[in-house]
Amino acid sequence: MKNKIKIYRAKFELTQAQLAELVQVSRQSINAIEKSKYVPSTVLALKLARVFKVRVEDLFELENLD
């Protein structure tokens, strides 16, 4: 799954630690999501979308649907 977390985080001038605090996870979790090593839960994806005021679909994209 591709994501744009790092792009939006830079746009909002947030560090990984600041974003992690806002969505109540560890900085390491944010790092893992940005590197596509971890796929967040639905609840976490919704929290991230809320922080950036976008839809979940704007942050995450499935690769190769076929």
Side-chain angles (χ1 to χ4, degrees), residues 16 19-20 23 25-34 48:
Q16 288 181 342
L19 179 56
V23 296
V25 297
S26 68
R27 182 201 57 79
Q28 291 86 351
S29 293
I30 298 298
N31 183 269
I33 293 168
E34 287 183 359
L48 289 164

Side-chain angles (χ1 to χ4, degrees), residues 1 7 10-11 13 18 25 30 34 36-38 43-44 47 51-52 55 62 64-66:
M1 180 178 300
I7 294 167
K11 183 178 175 181
E13 298 181 351
Q18 289 169 326
V25 297
I30 298 298
E34 287 183 359
S36 297
K37 293 183 177 182
Y38 171 70
V43 172
L44 180 51
K47 285 181 179 181
V51 167
F52 297 126
R55 299 173 308 143
L62 289 175
N64 300 329
L65 291 176
D66 40 335

